[in-house]
Amino acid sequence: MPAHYPFGLEPLPYSYNALEPYIDAETVSIHHDKHLKTYVDKLNAALEPYPALHGFSLSQLLSKPELIPKTIQTTVKNNGGGVYYHNLYFNSMNTPWDEPTENLPVIRALLNQFGSLDAWKARMKKHGENVFGSGWSLLVLDPNRRFQVVPTPNQDSTLPQGLVPLLPLDVWEHAYYLKYQNRRTDYIDAWFHVINWNAVNNRYVGQMLLT
Ligand SMILES: [Fe+2]
């Protein structure tokens, strides 16, 4: 899968029904094969006339939006952000997972900063519930290598603020409406059961080794 233009549709790392009963197969299928595919196609279409941008990674394109030509700034922000967050989202889940273990550095660091996993979960949940309309609740690493939990509207990237997403919770209605209808809170509670902590840990360790 190229890390630059033309961006591809990353395959799901599990079967459509792998997240049952927490997230249903039809939602996963439409979310990945239709919604994510649309973001990928629209991002590529926007970048196609600009060969000077074809060598850059998604992180680079999203980190400095002011350097993107004005005519495609919004399209790259929305669809590039969509591709970035959804690739992270789908790669942050797995078959209902065992309880996270303190053998993982990211768990020890979360416990150290938030006191308990329940305290961290409460923040993720609060931001997820409070996003008005569409958006995300995000666990990020800030420039001081500390965790923050922040909301972001639509597909707006936190990279320009130096906040690197480690674990994104999608609270767009398309992520939950088929199974949960208006019960966003029930979806959020279910999502905590399918977090792939090994994947989150790999991301965390990778970021920490950069500094
Ligand atoms: Fe989504």
Side-chain angles (χ1 to χ4, degrees):
M1 195 64 60
H4 52 75
Y5 175 91
F7 294 97
L9 179 65
E10 283 192 13
L12 262 188
Y14 36 74
S15 60
Y16 293 131
N17 64 359
L19 309 179
E20 299 266 11
Y22 300 105
I23 302 180
D24 60 291
E26 188 180 12
T27 295
V28 173
S29 161
I30 295 172
H31 199 176
H32 178 270
D33 295 0
K34 308 289 188 200
H35 289 283
L36 174 53
K37 172 94 169 38
T38 300
Y39 296 130
V40 170
D41 291 345
K42 288 187 174 177
L43 174 63
N44 285 332
L47 294 173
E48 193 270 332
Y50 297 93
L53 299 177
H54 290 182
F56 293 107
S57 70
L58 204 40
S59 296
Q60 289 171 317
L61 293 171
L62 293 172
S63 291
K64 297 189 173 64
E66 69 279 8
L67 299 182
I68 304 292
K70 281 248 183 299
T71 48
I72 61 167
Q73 251 178 33
T74 301
T75 308
V76 169
K77 175 182 161 188
N78 289 340
N79 294 283
V83 174
Y84 181 97
Y85 282 136
H86 283 88
N87 284 341
L88 269 187
Y89 174 76
F90 287 118
N91 283 290
S92 297
M93 298 185 288
N94 206 345
T95 300
W97 204 249
D98 292 333
E99 283 302 301
T101 159
E102 290 186 39
N103 290 333
L104 297 176
V106 71
I107 298 297
R108 292 200 298 274
L110 283 169
L111 292 173
N112 187 41
Q113 186 170 329
F114 293 100
S116 70
L117 279 187
D118 282 345
W120 164 76
K121 280 183 184 177
R123 290 199 194 195
M124 287 294 288
K125 185 171 175 175
K126 183 187 80 174
H127 287 307
E129 288 173 333
N130 289 344
V131 168
F132 184 75
S134 300
W136 300 77
S137 179
L138 302 167
L139 173 67
V140 301
L141 264 187
D142 71 17
N144 297 317
R145 309 285 87 180
R146 296 273 293 170
F147 295 119
Q148 290 188 31
V149 178
V150 296
T152 196
N154 303 310
Q155 309 288 6
D156 292 2
S157 181
T158 59
L159 292 175
Q161 293 94 53
L163 303 176
V164 179
L166 296 177
L167 176 59
L169 165 59
D170 190 342
V171 293
W172 283 60
E173 283 189 347
H174 67 223
Y176 62 87
Y177 205 83
L178 287 177
K179 182 176 174 74
Y180 295 98
Q181 292 82 48
N182 62 321
R183 303 187 310 278
R184 185 189 284 186
T185 296
D186 291 353
Y187 154 72
I188 294 172
D189 287 336
W191 173 80
F192 286 116
H193 290 276
V194 294
I195 296 171
N196 183 341
W197 282 108
N198 279 337
V200 179
N201 184 65
N202 288 341
R203 219 167 277 145
Y204 170 74
V205 170
Q207 285 298 319
M208 296 304 279
L209 287 174
L210 287 177
T211 55

